[in-house]
Amino acid sequence: MRNKTCVAIDGPAGAGKSTVAKLVARQLGLLYIDTGAMYRAVTLKALREGLDLTDHEQLTALARRTKIELVPGAKQLVLLDGEDVTEEIRSPEVSRHVSLVAKVPGVRAILVEQQRRMASETGVVMDGRDIGTVVLPQADIKIFLTASAEERANRRAKELANKGYTIDIAKLIKEIEERDYIDSHREVSPLVAAADATIIDSSNLSIDEVVEEIVKLIGNP
């Protein structure tokens, strides 16, 4: 029998959702779906085309004519109109602007439809901002993974330093706090823990400890 368990992991930027979700999916033999990568891909395309990121009509039209593919493997690949943009969508430039694109109702409607379709035929671990509340409200297990802004900034700085970027921690903390505000105050699908979600603060936990806690919850829902 195919494992049809559906796991939703939500939380703010830099909480470790993607890393944790990948490991949980691998342990349980489920499909991992990185919804944040989809919004980043649309953002990258909008930046490349020089679009006004406050123009909702342009951004919605862009999302409608954009093909995003998530290719499973040891490292999930993100294809934007057939081009591998796995690394480019993680650039500081995309990170600074993705919340502006993600709050556009038309963009969200298009991507949510795609995400639900991906999850309709198999078990999944899906991470994002509104998975347990909007995308997959019927999920078997809902997790809200968070951490302090300072801890998230330090993690992000290390990640970017490994890629050759020079990071101002104070500026990064400010950007993360601003992104949290935008994500949690947008009109459509704001960042909020589902009423039935288990909240995990990862500030003082290792990745393995978070994964272990989630796997235990799935085994004892």
Side-chain angles (χ1 to χ4, degrees), residues 12-192:
K17 299 185 301 296
S18 296
T19 301
V20 166
K22 288 174 196 171
L23 293 172
V24 170
R26 189 177 303 161
Q27 278 200 32
L28 300 177
L30 300 171
L31 175 66
Y32 166 59
I33 299 176
D34 181 357
T35 64
M38 299 173 73
Y39 288 101
R40 284 174 172 273
V42 174
T43 303
L44 174 61
K45 187 170 180 176
L47 290 170
R48 284 178 171 181
E49 296 190 8
L51 297 188
D52 177 353
L53 299 188
T54 64
D55 189 324
H56 289 198
E57 286 188 14
Q58 279 194 41
L59 291 172
T60 300
L62 178 81
R64 194 173 290 117
R65 60 181 169 83
T66 298
K67 182 179 181 183
I68 301 168
E69 298 169 89
L70 302 180
V71 183
K75 179 176 183 179
Q76 187 177 70
L77 299 181
V78 182
L79 304 184
L80 173 60
D81 299 325
E83 176 192 352
D84 182 355
V85 294
T86 309
E87 295 300 325
E88 195 173 355
I89 62 170
R90 302 294 172 184
S91 71
E93 179 78 356
V94 171
S95 294
R96 276 194 295 272
H97 295 97
V98 64
S99 287
L100 293 175
V101 175
K103 74 176 185 178
V104 177
V107 173
R108 298 202 70 83
I110 291 165
L111 295 190
V112 165
E113 181 183 350
Q114 293 178 24
Q115 292 154 11
R116 286 175 176 160
R117 189 165 60 246
M118 291 177 187
S120 64
E121 295 183 356
T122 188
V124 298
V125 179
M126 188 180 291
D127 74 281
R129 301 287 191 282
D130 62 345
I131 310 305
T133 54
V134 175
V135 183
L136 300 175
Q138 79 285 4
D140 301 296
I141 296 290
K142 298 176 185 177
I143 304 295
F144 191 85
L145 184 62
T146 188
S148 68
E150 290 77 13
E151 176 61 25
R152 288 183 281 141
N154 285 327
R155 292 174 185 173
R156 181 68 174 149
K158 288 178 184 176
E159 178 187 330
L160 291 170
N162 288 335
K163 295 180 180 179
Y165 294 103
T166 301
I167 301 301
D168 179 330
I169 287 288
K171 183 179 178 183
L172 187 54
I173 291 174
K174 186 171 184 293
E175 287 178 359
I176 285 175
E177 290 174 340
E178 288 174 350
R179 187 170 172 190
D180 286 350
Y181 184 86
I182 293 173
D183 288 345
S184 59
H185 288 77
R186 65 190 179 210
E187 291 184 15
V188 178
S189 304
L191 169 67
V192 62

